[in-house]
Amino acid sequence: MGNKSNLKREAERLATLDGYRALDKAPEGAFYRITTLIADIFSAPMAAVSLIDGETEWFKSPVGLTETNADRQVSMCAQAIEDSKPVVIEDAGMDTRFAGNPLLNGGSSVRFYAGAPLIAPNGAVLGALWIADTVPRFRITKNQLNQLTSMADIVMSEMELSREIGLREQAQRNAAIARSNLDLTLALSDIASFRIDLETGLIEWGGAYMKIWGKDAGEMVSEVETAMARVHPEDREAVQEAMSAAIERNEKYEARFRIVLPSGEIRWVEGYGDYLESNGRPTLTGVNKDITDSVDQQEQLKLHTRELHHRLRNLFATLQSIMALTKNSATSIDDYIERINSRLRALNRAQQILLDTNFVTGSFAALVRDLCSTYPRVSWSGPDIILAENAMVSISLVLNELATNAAKYGALTTDSGRVKISWAIEEDGEGLDIVKLQWLESGGPQSVPAPAKSGFGSSLIDHSITRNLRGDIKRDWAEEGLKCTITFPAPDEEE
């Protein structure tokens, strides 16, 4: 048990010694002054501060010695570690503990030794402050031993002070590294940190503050007054109230506001912070985050939602109108269902193409191509045109009615019948661009004369072209088949 206890105590002692980092440092001036002083006081030819690790005695600031270290096994200071009290050896030559010790031989042999232990605050003995002579000395007084012990305490105080300074410097370095890492993290996250001294109004910035507050923020936004000058006038009062609440009632600081940069650019900023006392000074500290993109997206979402609501209302109104008018023109329930399904497919065709793009505009060519997939003997040619949502719905209903009539009464009733859809953008007589669309049927039954009366389908076609597309339609009931020419204003590309 005793051996384990000694090993544990020695391990703790060596860990304590290592904590002072004294063996890694060059001899210190304060130690030299102390060893020189005690050498003079005691008229001793040799003196030193010795620190002892597991195997070696290290001489720090030695006087009268050329060596820098000695083997711990022959060290007289080792006795101080074992006893934890001053050690006096009046004549080492007469002391059986040092029989055969190499320190007693040679020209600078040690005969007299007096050392006071260097005791750390935790009780560990790290070494000794000692004096030595080459001749025996007798009758060292208690007062002299107290002087040596007091000087050893001063050495230990110097070591403790040096350790504290080292720890503080390391803590400062660690804090600087942590601050640098935090600034880097904030900068990469587009977040700025701020620290406001409420007595001076000065702001200490970190992170991505120049990206948020402007490239000149380090100089031009260095205090509360200049920062407030960049806050949007409509938001300034709310920000000041949030800061006042944090200061007066020790509440969390939270505000969402706009800032206006010198270029006129407006950014949305979200701020969070807290009030605290830093070194006795009232301080408001926190972070700012640029949320401009998020706010813009929210506004865009609101606009799209309103636009979607508006278009859905129009779509439902169209559906109600088609259902009511189809009911009036249908000859039976089956005829009603068939007509409704056909017109709903036309609406769905247009809406799907709109949905595949941006729900605002769609491809005319894609609309015609989709129609042709339902009616294989219908072909088409023409440039792609981007149409607005109302135009897409209208032209889809028109083409559907023409195709339905062709399948029931026209060219698509026979295997040899064909329909060709073609269109181009031309200039009318007034210099305006128009879309000229032609529907040509061939190979079917003769279509002359023209029908005696028109039904809801024809009315739907006429209404969609003249009212919705602001265009015109001409029908030619020729022997080879129906020829239908539709013209309407070409869409404005900018619109």
Side-chain angles (χ1 to χ4, degrees), residues 63-357:
V63 172
L65 297 174
T66 57
E67 298 87 353
T68 58
N69 61 80
D71 193 320
R72 178 176 176 175
Q73 296 299 321
V74 300
S75 170
M76 294 182 178
C77 292
Q79 193 65 42
I81 293 178
E82 296 176 7
D83 298 341
S84 299
K85 61 183 180 180
V87 174
V88 177
I89 302 172
E90 295 179 338
D91 186 354
M94 303 296 292
D95 194 321
T96 57
R97 292 176 299 177
F98 301 100
N101 193 306
L103 296 177
L104 274 62
N105 301 322
S108 58
S109 60
V110 176
R111 297 296 296 276
F112 168 77
Y113 170 90
L118 302 175
I119 304 175
N122 66 354
V125 180
L126 309 183
L129 171 66
W130 56 271
I131 56 173
D133 203 341
T134 57
V135 295
R137 291 191 184 190
F138 302 97
R139 293 183 299 278
I140 184 172
T141 67
K142 182 178 180 180
N143 183 53
Q144 288 175 320
L145 201 56
N146 287 339
Q147 284 182 307
L148 186 62
T149 301
S150 296
M151 297 297 256
D153 291 341
I154 293 174
V155 170
M156 197 65 243
S157 296
E158 286 287 338
M159 290 178 62
E160 186 68 19
L161 177 61
S162 178
R163 186 181 73 88
E164 290 293 337
I165 292 173
L167 291 175
R168 182 172 299 180
E169 289 176 347
Q170 185 60 47
Q172 290 173 343
R173 287 192 293 270
N174 292 342
I177 293 172
R179 176 70 182 187
S180 177
N181 291 339
L182 176 61
D183 279 346
L184 179 59
T185 301
L186 292 176
L188 293 175
S189 304
D190 292 339
I191 297 175
S193 65
F194 64 85
R195 188 182 186 90
I196 303 174
D197 187 323
L198 296 173
E199 290 185 356
T200 63
L202 296 178
I203 304 176
E204 179 184 341
W205 291 104
Y209 67 96
M210 288 190 292
K211 190 172 183 180
I212 297 175
W213 288 84
K215 294 181 179 179
D216 62 344
E219 297 179 0
M220 304 305 295
V221 194
S222 58
E223 52 185 313
V224 174
E225 184 177 353
T226 54
M228 281 298 176
R230 288 202 176 175
V231 176
H232 195 286
E234 296 178 4
D235 302 335
R236 201 169 292 157
E237 184 177 351
V239 174
Q240 291 171 334
E241 288 178 356
M243 292 178 64
S244 297
I247 297 167
E248 295 170 7
R249 298 192 292 273
N250 196 24
E251 296 179 353
K252 299 290 184 183
Y253 166 79
E254 184 172 345
R256 174 180 284 200
F257 54 93
R258 290 163 291 177
I259 58 175
V260 184
L261 300 184
S263 63
E265 179 187 356
I266 296 178
R267 291 180 182 166
W268 276 94
V269 176
E270 204 163 51
Y272 298 94
D274 203 357
Y275 172 82
L276 54 84
E277 297 283 337
S278 178
N279 297 323
R281 301 179 71 87
T283 304
L284 187 65
T285 182
V287 295
N288 288 158
K289 181 172 178 59
D290 188 340
I291 59 170
T292 306
D293 291 343
S294 175
V295 171
D296 289 345
Q297 289 173 1
Q298 291 175 4
E299 290 300 318
Q300 288 295 322
L301 181 59
K302 290 179 182 178
L303 289 174
H304 288 314
T305 301
R306 286 197 291 268
E307 180 69 18
L308 179 60
H309 179 66
H310 171 71
R311 295 184 184 281
L312 285 175
R313 287 180 61 186
N314 289 343
L315 179 60
F316 285 130
T318 303
L319 283 171
Q320 287 176 335
S321 177
I322 289 175
M323 292 174 69
L325 294 174
T326 302
K327 177 183 177 182
N328 295 334
S329 62
T331 58
S332 66
I333 292 295
D334 291 339
D335 181 48
Y336 174 74
I337 293 173
E338 181 183 353
R339 291 171 184 258
I340 282 293
N341 284 338
S342 175
R343 287 158 186 164
L344 289 181
R345 282 195 298 271
L347 284 177
N348 180 67
R349 186 179 296 121
Q351 296 301 324
Q352 186 61 51
I353 292 171
L354 290 167
L355 186 61
D356 289 342
T357 52

Side-chain angles (χ1 to χ4, degrees), residues 3-115:
N3 188 42
K4 289 184 178 179
S5 177
N6 290 339
L7 290 175
K8 181 180 179 181
R9 186 165 57 250
E10 175 65 7
E12 291 174 351
R13 189 191 73 81
L14 292 175
T16 302
L17 176 62
D18 185 63
Y20 285 92
R21 296 287 186 266
L23 298 180
D24 302 331
K25 298 177 182 177
E28 300 186 25
F31 290 179
Y32 268 125
R33 289 191 292 272
I34 291 173
T35 53
T36 301
L37 179 61
I38 64 168
D40 289 341
I41 291 174
F42 289 93
S43 300
M46 291 174 283
V49 171
S50 283
L51 300 174
I52 301 175
D53 64 14
E55 299 177 352
T56 307
E57 175 183 3
W58 299 93
F59 304 134
K60 308 292 287 186
S61 61
V63 172
L65 297 174
T66 57
E67 298 87 353
T68 58
N69 61 80
D71 193 320
R72 178 176 176 175
Q73 296 299 321
V74 300
S75 170
M76 294 182 178
C77 292
Q79 193 65 42
I81 293 178
E82 296 176 7
D83 298 341
S84 299
K85 61 183 180 180
V87 174
V88 177
I89 302 172
E90 295 179 338
D91 186 354
M94 303 296 292
D95 194 321
T96 57
R97 292 176 299 177
F98 301 100
N101 193 306
L103 296 177
L104 274 62
N105 301 322
S108 58
S109 60
V110 176
R111 297 296 296 276
F112 168 77
Y113 170 90

Side-chain angles (χ1 to χ4, degrees), residues 427-440:
E427 189 175 304
D428 67 1
E430 298 179 359
L432 299 176
D433 288 339
I434 61 170
V435 177
K436 184 176 181 180
L437 170 68
Q438 289 190 320
W439 175 279
L440 300 177

